[in-house]
């Protein structure tokens, strides 16, 4: 007769494990607060926290550490007793969060689950980071027995879709009896997993496109405003900046291997904006014109935007009549296009058509009354017409909305000087 093996005492293990529950909850709350203060990404992440249930804990120590569970009088530790999940919107966020964890925490281990799976497999993907419990997150009171040094916090980093898949997979496979020989079910699960993975990839591609587009748009818009400001600065005797348009252009490499005739509308827009920002205005106008002639859908919205961009390219070349024509075409296609109205007003101001400029600024402000620069531009037009009270009122509106740069101060000084002179 063989000697009976020592078996874990479940009740004793449960009593000890559950005695740490308040400590685990305190540590978990502290780490979550520290994470929220440390992790900074463009799309605000969601945090999920949990303390491993005793049932799950007991099953796992029987699988992984049965001898220690039977012999030890202290807490048998697992790496996932305390867990936090950081759920991000996009794939690019995963690396950013991981880098920030390495920066702000003592990282013990990083595991990339699912990274080595073939396309036929359906396990979830997730980055698991084990961190040591930070000193400022440990319990303030002395514990008896103390919190074991081996206790760590597992932080899982996933996208929204990866998290959704993991939750469903947990119910269908981990918690249920799943027949590994049921090929039709395996194919269905693999197909769903592939679809979610593809969706994550497409979401990221769209995000990348939007980021490039916004970067190009920001550079192009600043170039337009800078030229308009140069006219004002010259009038007020302010220094004009020496700008290198090519140096300030967004870093973007369009698909030059494709002829423009083969590119999608999205690719054409990025290519046109890029040429525009590099001060290759003729090429930009050529591409904008190609987009307009292709009659994109839905026509009013898309054409309104493209006419506005082409108008800005014409403005950069001092082709003011063509710029006005395009801005007006933009407004005709998109009557709510307050920026096109604003740009139209700027061109009128440059041409010394101040009354027409004021009418454009009025229409722009009727659509969006919170445009500080429009108030400033209208104040400048009123000043040029000798309507100093209206000019001063618009300066006050611009200042109330946070605009207080050198141009505003210079205009205000000129207006107040007129009042001092008795107008």
């Amino acid at each position: 007769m063989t000697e009976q093996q020592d078996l874990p005492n479940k009740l004793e293990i449960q009593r000890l494990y559950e005695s740490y529950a308040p400590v685990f909850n305190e540590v978990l709350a502290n780490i979550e607060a520290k994470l929220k203060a440390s992790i900074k990404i463009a799309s605000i992440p969601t945090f999920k926290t949990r303390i491993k249930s005793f049932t799950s804990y007991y099953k796992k120590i029987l699988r992984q550490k049965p001898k220690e569970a039977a012999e030890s009088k202290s807490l048998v530790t697992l790496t996932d007793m305390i867990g936090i999940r950081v759920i991000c919107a996009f794939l690019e966020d995963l690396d950013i969060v991981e880098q920030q964890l390495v920066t702000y925490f003592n990282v013990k281990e990083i595991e990339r689950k699912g990274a080595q799976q073939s396309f036929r497999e359906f396990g979830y993907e997730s980055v698991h980071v084990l961190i040591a419990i930070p000193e400022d997150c440990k319990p303030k009171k002395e514990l008896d027995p103390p919190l074991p040094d081996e206790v760590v916090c597992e932080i899982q980093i996933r996208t929204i879709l990866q998290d959704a898949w993991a939750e469903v997979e947990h119910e269908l496979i981990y918690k249920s009896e799943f027949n590994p020989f049921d090929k039709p079910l395996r194919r269905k699960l693999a197909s769903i997993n592939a679809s979610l993975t593809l969706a994550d990839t497409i979401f990221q591609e769209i995000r990348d496109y939007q980021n490039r587009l916004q970067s190009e748009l920001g550079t192009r818009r600043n170039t337009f405003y800078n030229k308009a400001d140069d006219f004002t600065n010259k009038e007020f005797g302010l220094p004009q900046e020496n700008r290198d348009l090519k140096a300030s252009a967004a870093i973007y490499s369009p698909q030059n291997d494709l002829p423009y005739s083969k590119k999608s509308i999205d690719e054409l827009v990025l290519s046109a904006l890029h040429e525009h920002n590099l001060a290759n205005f003729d090429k930009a106008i050529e591409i904008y014109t190609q987009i307009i002639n292709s009659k994109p859908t839905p026509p009013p919205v898309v054409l309104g935007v493209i006419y506005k961009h082409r108008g800005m390219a014409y403005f950069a070349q001092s082709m003011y009549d063509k710029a006005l024509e395009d801005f007006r075409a933009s407004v005709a296609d998109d009557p709510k296009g307050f920026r096109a109205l604003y740009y139209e007003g700027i061109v009128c101001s440059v041409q010394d058509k101040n009354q027409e400029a004021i009418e454009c600024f009025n229409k722009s402000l009727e659509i969006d009354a919170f445009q500080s620069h429009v108030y400033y531009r209208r104040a400048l037009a009123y000043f040029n017409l000798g309507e100093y009270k209206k000019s001063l009122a618009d300066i006050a509106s611009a200042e109330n909305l946070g605009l207080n740069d050198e141009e505003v101060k210079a205009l205000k000084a000129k207006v107040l000087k007129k009042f001092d002179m008795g107008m």
Side-chain angles (χ1 to χ4, degrees):
M1 186 174 179
T2 59
E3 184 178 347
Q4 185 175 0
Q5 181 182 0
D6 289 338
L7 297 175
N9 186 321
K10 183 177 181 181
L11 291 179
E12 283 297 315
I13 294 172
Q14 182 174 8
R15 181 195 61 76
L16 181 60
Y17 183 75
E18 292 181 349
S19 71
Y20 278 97
V23 178
F24 289 163
N25 282 307
E26 181 182 348
V27 169
L28 184 62
N30 291 338
I31 295 178
E32 182 185 11
K34 193 176 182 73
L35 279 173
K36 288 181 177 179
S38 304
I39 292 178
K40 306 296 181 185
I41 55 177
S43 54
I44 299 174
T46 300
F47 295 85
K48 293 182 180 180
T49 62
R50 67 106 180 93
I51 302 298
K52 198 172 190 69
S53 70
F54 173 74
T55 301
S56 298
Y57 168 80
Y58 186 67
K59 287 181 179 179
K60 194 164 184 177
I61 63 171
L62 290 183
R63 290 198 312 271
Q64 296 186 359
K65 301 180 177 181
K67 185 176 180 180
E68 185 179 349
E71 296 175 355
S72 177
K73 299 300 181 182
S74 58
L75 181 70
V76 177
T77 60
L78 297 174
T79 58
D80 60 348
M81 295 186 301
I82 303 173
I84 299 179
R85 194 173 299 163
V86 184
I87 303 169
C88 309
F90 301 100
L91 288 170
E92 67 179 356
D93 297 330
L94 304 183
D95 287 339
I96 297 173
V97 171
E98 182 182 328
Q99 291 167 10
Q100 291 177 351
L101 289 178
V102 171
T103 300
Y104 295 111
F105 295 88
N106 178 9
V107 173
K108 297 293 188 180
E109 180 184 321
I110 298 177
E111 181 183 5
R112 306 182 194 284
K113 290 187 177 291
Q116 305 303 320
Q117 292 172 161
S118 73
F119 70 93
R120 293 186 179 87
E121 296 176 291
F122 51 82
Y124 70 88
E125 292 188 34
S126 182
V127 179
H128 290 199
V129 181
L130 299 183
I131 65 167
I133 308 300
E135 288 297 324
D136 57 355
C137 294
K138 290 181 178 179
K140 296 179 180 179
K141 294 182 180 180
E142 291 288 337
L143 299 177
D144 185 20
L147 187 69
D149 293 335
E150 296 79 14
V151 173
V152 295
C153 177
E154 180 186 68
I155 300 176
Q156 300 176 356
I157 316 170
R158 300 174 183 167
T159 65
I160 295 170
L161 295 183
Q162 287 173 349
D163 187 60
W165 169 252
E167 295 284 4
V168 175
E169 186 217 33
H170 189 71
E171 293 294 327
L172 290 179
I173 301 170
Y174 184 77
K175 292 174 63 174
S176 304
E177 292 295 330
F178 184 77
N179 184 349
F181 302 103
D182 195 335
K183 289 187 178 180
L185 282 181
R186 291 183 67 86
R187 290 194 187 100
K188 289 178 182 178
L189 287 168
S191 176
I192 294 170
N193 189 31
S195 297
L196 291 174
T197 301
L198 177 61
D200 254 339
T201 302
I202 292 173
F203 285 154
Q204 184 60 56
E205 289 174 352
I206 294 172
R207 179 72 160 187
D208 291 342
Y209 172 81
Q210 290 176 331
N211 288 339
R212 292 197 303 269
L213 180 62
Q214 290 305 312
S215 180
E216 296 286 356
L217 286 173
T219 303
R220 189 252 321 124
R221 192 178 296 124
N222 287 336
T223 302
F224 178 84
Y225 291 151
N226 288 339
K227 178 165 184 177
D229 288 341
D230 284 343
F231 285 95
T232 308
N233 292 347
K234 186 177 181 180
E235 180 178 348
F236 290 158
L238 295 173
Q240 297 190 33
E241 297 181 29
N242 184 21
R243 303 180 183 92
D244 184 349
L245 295 179
K246 294 189 178 184
S248 64
I251 300 173
Y252 162 64
S253 180
Q255 296 182 5
N256 290 321
D257 54 326
L258 287 175
Y260 288 125
S261 59
K262 298 295 184 181
K263 292 186 177 183
S264 68
I265 293 294
D266 290 342
E267 291 167 338
L268 284 173
V269 170
L270 274 178
S271 295
L273 290 172
H274 189 65
E275 297 294 347
H276 192 153
N277 291 336
L278 290 173
N280 298 328
F281 301 119
D282 289 336
K283 175 59 71 174
I285 289 169
E286 177 188 336
I287 303 172
Y288 289 138
T289 303
Q290 180 181 336
I291 297 171
I292 291 169
N293 291 340
S294 70
K295 298 179 181 180
T297 56
V301 177
V302 175
L303 285 176
V305 173
I306 302 305
Y307 275 123
K308 181 172 64 179
H309 292 335
R310 194 175 70 174
M312 296 170 84
Y314 281 132
F315 180 81
Q317 293 183 302
S318 301
M319 301 172 70
Y320 301 127
D321 289 337
K322 285 185 175 292
L324 272 179
E325 186 178 330
D326 271 359
F327 291 144
R328 287 167 180 165
S330 176
V331 174
D333 283 318
D334 181 12
K336 295 295 183 182
F338 57 89
R339 282 202 177 92
L341 285 164
Y342 173 41
Y343 299 161
E344 183 182 347
I346 289 176
V347 178
C348 289
S349 294
V350 170
Q351 293 181 314
D352 204 26
K353 300 175 182 177
N354 291 291
Q355 191 56 52
E356 291 183 36
I358 289 170
E359 292 171 6
C360 293
F361 297 144
N362 290 344
K363 292 176 183 177
S364 182
L365 289 169
E366 286 174 6
I367 300 170
D368 183 350
F370 303 103
Q371 302 178 79
S372 59
H373 285 85
V374 181
Y375 285 108
Y376 163 68
R377 289 287 170 188
R378 193 172 68 176
L380 182 59
Y382 278 134
F383 177 84
N384 290 332
L385 291 175
E387 298 187 43
Y388 304 121
K389 289 183 179 179
K390 290 182 178 179
S391 180
L392 195 59
D394 271 355
I395 291 172
S397 296
E399 289 176 332
N400 287 339
L401 290 171
L403 186 63
N404 192 30
D405 55 20
E406 291 303 315
E407 289 88 351
V408 175
K409 293 176 182 177
L411 177 58
K412 187 175 184 178
K414 276 200 164 190
V415 174
L416 292 176
K417 188 175 182 180
K418 293 292 183 181
F419 282 103
D420 291 339
M421 295 171 60
M423 297 176 58

